[in-house]
Amino acid sequence: QVQLVESGGGLAQPGGSLRLSCTASGSISRFYIMGWYRQAPGKQRELVADISSGFATTYADSVKGRFTISRDNAKNTVYLQMNSLKLEDTAVYYCNYRNSAINYWGKGTLVTVSS
């Protein structure tokens, strides 16, 4: 079992910044991918960004150049720095931990971008 604890959501103005964190604990594998997905009201959950144990990253086109994902393997923690936030970034953001055998989700943290 892997437990994921997210933090850092909240309210930001358009053009502002927020930083999300997610720490994994429990039966941590040596190789795994951690990432962030989001789900806006009435929409499907979508990948925002993910990062492998070897620090390879993937970004949704909608966040490239604005969001940066990073990780600290010693702390089993992944971060999502979100800059130049837009109204359409409003969503519940979910942390994800996966490898070829398992797939875990955090409970989600709400990000609201509003003026």
Side-chain angles (χ1 to χ4, degrees), residues 14-70:
S17 298
L18 286 173
R19 188 191 195 211
L20 305 183
S21 300
C22 174
T23 298
S25 62
S27 301
I28 305 300
S29 304
R30 181 177 179 184
F31 300 105
Y32 58 92
I33 295 172
M34 287 188 77
W36 292 93
Y37 288 69
R38 68 186 180 187
Q39 188 166 18
K43 295 188 176 181
Q44 290 188 332
R45 190 174 298 188
E46 63 176 3
L47 173 69
V48 177
D50 64 26
I51 184 167
S52 71
S53 297
F55 303 100
T57 58
T58 302
Y59 290 95
D61 288 343
S62 59
V63 306
K64 285 180 181 177
R66 301 188 298 121
F67 292 8
T68 302
I69 192 168
S70 60

Side-chain angles (χ1 to χ4, degrees), residues 97-109:
Y97 171 105
R98 71 183 190 277
N99 60 27
S100 59
I102 56 175
N103 189 20
Y104 288 97
W105 294 94
K107 293 182 179 180
T109 184

